[in-house]
């Protein structure tokens, strides 16, 4: 929900980044305030995932210009784990499988680390088990996933639910969900979207990276941004998503090209 | 020149050998081994099989067998006891400790070899020394030359041991040389789990030169957990020989943590159709440790299956060696064999040499093998960090997971937990 007096959580100005020496982000601008839901749409390869990973601090990406303030502080002064503890969350487009690390152990370590940071008590394995099972119900996840290795052998949809489960546990300030909807059937989409909606409140913000307008039927964005070649070339209200759905992306870039 | 020095070192190790001729059923075996020690020389790095493992540090020290009575009590080894195990045999510096042991002498025999020899001479002589061959192995010859006693597990046809047997070898003395010996004879259709474990109550240097023979008759099933956690100054030379008859199954989990220098030879011979082995190996070392594993799985007959996974976690300036030989002989059609060697280097100076060695003479077989050497996966580390875990916690968790995959297969919960804790402590230190 857009409110003029909301606090700015994320402020991206002219962000440039390279990977393997190739410039991918060429001046991203984005302002996200508390209570807002943003959708970032754009063709494949336009830099959406790169943007998400640069914010989270993936070591393969080099920031070459611009600035990002997270709750008013320089995001790039923080290591990736510090960003997570400060309340930045990235739901990965392709969550990694980690054989041998039990999901329950991983989730508890992550939860306790963030709790400690917030000056709250850690949970022991038994307490955590009760707590996490409640959260899993919300996402209609089978508790068996606790005993399995992190994401190992999970289907695409199960991995995405596991990402949202992590978001539910860590209660981030800003959650960037990178194509959390892709690969989900309609039921799974409804469940995942329901989970996200329950987590959204006036103090946090959600940035949805998506291809499809479909997700936006379930999670109402306040803004829709269109990326192209490492830049946001158009920003509009929710109706922009519908327009993109029917007209594709080409007209946006043509218009942006004409304006430039 | 070197040869002479080596030979005299071997001869020195023979000294203190008790009663060559004890007038028992093992006289001939021992005599043959003594003779062989006289002919063989200590391996050097010029031997292909010892290219990476230099025994010079060993030859700079003298080791003598201990012949006294074991001087430790139950409380000294309480921390090694395995709750699930009903039968335990304890050897201290190579000497059997009856007061710490709980043998079994029924149809199933779990006993000191010397004690069981009169009653079971025929069964023992039929296999002892015939699986762990010493013709070309100076250390196995040396062990056999010392063969007076050892651990014996004898399972009659269709016998099933529901609780694991614990064979515990405890080192307590500086500069002692121990030559432990195990013989496991699993009769047709029998089942058992045997834990062979090497531990130390001293931080000093000593030598363990262990040999084990595991003979599985038709359809027998044996799980063999071998744990090497010697002192960090110790030298550990081990040789396990496994012989598999028709339809039998050997499951080995071999974990090495300790020793300054360790060398483990594993020889599996699948001598009849339909034999199967599954082997998980783990070496976790740091500092200036060296861990060398040479395995050989010999598929002599058709329809054999082997699965081998060997992992090394190497930190500091430690060095790991893995040589995995797989032989598929001409008649061994439809053999299905898979070997993987995965190695994690935790520091710049850590090093591993891994080599698969496939010798395939049959044409209708499936043999997969692969080796990887690397650091932790950067994307995995990042994934964990993106959830708030610190760099060091992320790294130790991933390192732990890498090794725990092997330990997970240990079917004895208390031992598995204990070793997983050791692994965790070691990964947190790295
Ligand atoms: N590690 C990498 N090495 C080289 N090129 C990369 C790498 N990661 C992403 N790219 C390139 O960056 C561009 C943007 O990719 P990405 O951010 O994944 O786009 P999107 O998520 O919008 O589909 C693509 O052209 C892609 O090929
Ligand atoms: Mg993407």
């Amino acid at each position: 929900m857009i409110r003029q007096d909301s606090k700015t959580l994320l402020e991206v100005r002219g962000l440039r980044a390279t990977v393997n020496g190739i410039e991918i982000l060429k001046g991203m601008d984005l302002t996200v305030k508390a209570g807002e839901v943003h959708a970032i749409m754009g063709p494949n390869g336009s830099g959406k995932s790169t943007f998400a990973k640069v914010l989270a601090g993936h070591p393969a990406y080099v920031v070459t210009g611009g600035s990002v303030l997270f709750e008013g502080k320089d995001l790039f002064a923080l290591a990736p784990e510090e960003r997570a503890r400060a309340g930045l969350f990235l739901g990965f487009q392709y969550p990694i499988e980690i054989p041998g690390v039990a999901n329950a152990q991983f989730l508890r370590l992550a939860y306790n680390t963030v709790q400690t940071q917030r000056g709250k008590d850690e949970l022991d394995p038994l307490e955590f088990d009760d707590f996490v099972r409640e959260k899993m119900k919300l996402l209609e996840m089978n508790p068996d996933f606790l005993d399995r290795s992190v994401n190992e052998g999970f289907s695409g949809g199960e991995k995405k639910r596991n990402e949202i489960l992590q978001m539910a546990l860590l209660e981030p300030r800003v959650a960037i969900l990178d194509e959390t909807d892709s690969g989900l059937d309609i039921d799974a989409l409804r469940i995942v979207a329901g989970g996200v909606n329950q987590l959204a409140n006036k103090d946090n913000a959600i940035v949805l990276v998506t291809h499809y307008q479909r997700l936006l039927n379930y999670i109402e964005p306040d803004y829709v941004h269109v990326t192209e070649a490492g830049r946001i070339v158009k920003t509009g209200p929710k109706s922009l998503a519908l327009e993109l759905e029917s007209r594709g992306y080409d007209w946006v870039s043509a218009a942006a090209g004409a304006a430039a | 020149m070197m040869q002479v020095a080596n030979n005299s070192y071997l001869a020195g190790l023979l000294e203190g050998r008790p009663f060559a001729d004890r007038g028992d059923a093992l006289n001939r075996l021992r005599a043959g081994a003594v003779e062989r020690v006289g002919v063989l020389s200590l391996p050097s790095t010029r031997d292909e099989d010892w290219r990476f493992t230099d025994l010079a540090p060993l030859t700079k020290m003298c080791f003598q067998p201990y012949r006294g009575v074991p001087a430790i009590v139950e409380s000294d080894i309480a921390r090694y006891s395995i709750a699930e195990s009903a039968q335990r045999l304890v050897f201290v510096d190579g000497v059997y400790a009856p007061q710490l042991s709980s043998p079994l002498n029924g149809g199933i025999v779990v006993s000191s070899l010397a004690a069981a020899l009169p009653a079971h001479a025929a069964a023992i002589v039929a296999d002892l020394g015939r699986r762990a061959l010493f013709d070309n192995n100076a250390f196995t010859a040396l062990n056999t030359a010392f063969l007076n006693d050892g651990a014996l597990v004898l399972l009659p046809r269709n016998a099933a041991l529901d609780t694991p047997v614990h064979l515990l070898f405890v080192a307590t003395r500086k500069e002692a040389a121990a030559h432990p010996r195990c013989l496991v004879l699993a009769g047709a259709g029998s089942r058992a789990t045997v834990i062979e474990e090497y531990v130390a109550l001293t931080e000093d240097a000593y030598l363990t030169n262990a040999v084990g023979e595991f003979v599985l008759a038709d359809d027998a099933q044996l799980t063999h957990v071998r744990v090497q956690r010697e002192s960090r100054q110790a030298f550990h030379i081990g040789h396990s020989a496994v012989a598999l008859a028709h339809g039998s199954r050997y499951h080995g989990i071999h974990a090495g943590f300790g020793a300054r220098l360790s060398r483990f030879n594993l020889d599996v011979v699948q001598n009849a159709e339909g034999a199967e082995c599954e082997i998980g190996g783990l070496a976790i070392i740091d500092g200036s440790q060296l861990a060398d594993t040479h395995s050989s799985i010999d598929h002599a007959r058709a329809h054999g299956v082997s699965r081998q996974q060997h992992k090394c976690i190497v930190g500091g300036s430690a060095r790991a060696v893995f040589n995995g030989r797989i032989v598929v002989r001409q008649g061994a059609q439809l053999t299905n064999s898979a070997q993987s060697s995965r190695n994690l280097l935790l520091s710049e100076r850590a090093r591993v040499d891994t080599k698969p060695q496939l010798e395939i003479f049959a044409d209708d077989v499936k043999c997969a093998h692969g080796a990887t050497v690397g650091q932790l996966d950067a994307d995995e580390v990042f994934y964990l960090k993106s959830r708030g875990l610190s760099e060091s916690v992320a790294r130790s968790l991933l390192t732990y997971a890498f090794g725990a995959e092997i330990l997970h297969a240990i079917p004895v919960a208390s031992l598995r937990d204990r070793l997983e804790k050791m692994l965790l402590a070691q990964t947190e230190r790295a």
Side-chain angles (χ1 to χ4, degrees), chain B residues 245-256:
Chain B
H246 187 274
S248 64
R249 185 172 194 279
Y250 171 81
H251 183 194
I253 301 116
H254 309 142

Side-chain angles (χ1 to χ4, degrees), chain A residues 44-50 53 93-94 178-179 209 211:
Chain A
N44 262 331
S46 59
K48 304 182 297 295
S49 291
T50 302
K53 286 196 253 183
Q93 182 175 4
Y94 303 109
D178 190 0
E179 302 216 18
V209 174
H211 259 317

Side-chain angles (χ1 to χ4, degrees), chain B residues 101-179:
Chain B
S101 301
S102 47
L104 185 67
N105 268 299
I108 296 175
V109 176
V110 177
S111 162
S112 119
L113 188 77
L117 190 55
H120 301 280
I124 291 170
V125 170
D127 282 301
L128 190 65
R130 290 173 191 256
R131 312 298 174 169
L133 302 177
F134 57 74
D135 285 3
N136 290 307
N137 186 328
F139 287 105
T140 300
L142 193 63
N143 174 289
T144 310
F146 276 86
L147 219 174
N148 286 305
D149 203 352
L152 174 71
V153 178
L154 218 161
L155 300 156
R157 171 180 287 270
N158 294 329
L161 253 180
D162 294 326
T163 57
V165 173
H166 189 195
L167 309 176
L168 182 64
F169 299 90
V170 188
T172 71
R173 260 162 221 282
K174 190 177 175 178
E175 290 169 7
H179 302 278

Side-chain angles (χ1 to χ4, degrees), chain B residues 4-83:
Chain B
V4 173
N6 276 342
N7 282 345
S8 67
Y9 187 77
L10 265 184
L13 285 175
L14 261 186
E15 270 168 34
R17 191 166 45 87
F19 328 117
D21 184 356
R22 304 211 327 174
D24 64 22
L26 306 180
N27 269 355
R28 274 189 49 195
L29 183 61
R30 268 193 304 263
V34 172
E35 197 181 306
R36 202 63 203 152
V37 175
V39 176
L40 292 170
S41 50
L42 208 62
S44 80
T45 51
R46 279 164 301 168
D47 295 303
E48 182 58 28
D49 264 1
W50 288 82
R51 252 175 78 200
F52 300 112
T53 300
D54 186 359
L55 289 169
L58 174 75
T59 58
K60 293 204 175 79
M61 305 178 78
C62 281
F63 300 97
Q64 289 296 315
Y66 176 68
R67 294 180 52 193
V69 177
I72 62 171
V73 294
E74 182 64 43
S75 59
D76 294 321
I77 56 167
R79 74 185 116 133
Y80 303 116
S81 86
I82 293 174

Side-chain angles (χ1 to χ4, degrees), chain A:
Chain A
M1 190 209 289
I2 305 173
R3 289 202 341 239
Q4 284 318 313
D5 58 346
S6 284
K7 210 174 130 195
T8 298
L9 296 180
L10 189 67
E11 185 148 20
V12 180
R13 289 284 162 266
L15 180 60
R16 289 172 174 271
T18 62
V19 59
N20 296 331
I22 309 160
E23 183 166 71
I24 310 288
L25 301 186
K26 299 173 179 168
M28 290 283 276
D29 294 295
L30 181 69
T31 301
V32 177
K33 291 185 173 182
E36 295 175 351
V37 175
H38 292 242
I40 298 183
M41 305 182 77
N44 262 331
S46 59
K48 304 182 297 295
S49 291
T50 302
F51 178 56
K53 286 196 253 183
V54 166
L55 294 183
H58 192 292
Y61 300 87
V62 180
V63 175
T64 50
S67 66
V68 177
L69 297 181
F70 183 75
E71 298 200 89
K73 295 195 207 81
D74 179 9
L75 184 72
F76 297 138
L78 304 177
E81 62 272 32
E82 293 166 335
R83 298 179 198 185
R85 293 175 203 163
L88 182 71
F89 179 87
L90 169 58
F92 286 80
Q93 182 175 4
Y94 303 109
I96 302 277
E97 299 192 7
I98 311 184
V101 175
N103 206 25
Q105 186 191 12
F106 161 62
L107 295 172
R108 189 169 62 88
L109 272 172
Y111 175 77
N112 280 341
T113 306
V114 171
Q115 285 294 98
T116 305
Q117 174 84 10
R118 293 174 186 163
K120 297 190 187 146
D121 285 342
E122 297 193 359
L123 295 183
D124 70 28
L126 284 176
E127 294 166 331
F128 181 75
D129 197 60
D130 291 341
F131 178 71
V132 73
R133 277 165 194 265
E134 280 305 311
K135 300 275 178 192
M136 290 175 93
K137 274 191 202 147
L138 192 95
L139 295 163
E140 296 179 30
M141 272 180 92
N142 186 329
D144 290 353
F145 285 107
L146 290 173
D147 299 326
R148 298 185 30 193
S149 292
V150 177
N151 295 329
E152 192 184 29
F154 289 24
S155 71
E158 289 160 354
K159 285 180 183 169
K160 297 299 173 68
R161 285 191 215 194
N162 207 35
E163 294 292 290
I164 302 305
L165 176 62
Q166 292 166 44
M167 173 182 166
L169 291 171
L170 302 184
E171 297 181 338
R173 266 315 167 74
V174 174
I176 306 159
L177 304 179
D178 190 0
E179 302 216 18
T180 299
D181 53 333
S182 54
L184 297 185
D185 62 31
I186 201 75
D187 286 334
L189 184 67
R190 187 181 42 76
I191 293 162
V192 165
V196 173
N197 280 329
Q198 288 210 30
L199 296 167
N201 62 37
K202 66 174 175 42
D203 297 319
N204 62 21
I206 291 165
V207 179
L208 301 167
V209 174
T210 181
H211 259 317
Y212 309 103
Q213 130 78 17
R214 191 172 81 132
L215 175 67
L216 307 180
N217 291 334
Y218 296 91
I219 308 173
E220 291 253 323
D222 299 302
Y223 297 98
V224 174
H225 309 277
V226 182
T227 53
E228 162 148 342
R231 233 177 297 205
I232 286 175
V233 291
K234 189 170 179 63
T235 294
K238 189 197 165 188
S239 60
L240 176 56
L242 291 168
E243 208 170 346
L244 292 168
E245 185 92 338
S246 58
R247 296 177 65 189
Y249 292 112
D250 289 349
W251 66 275
V252 182
S253 62

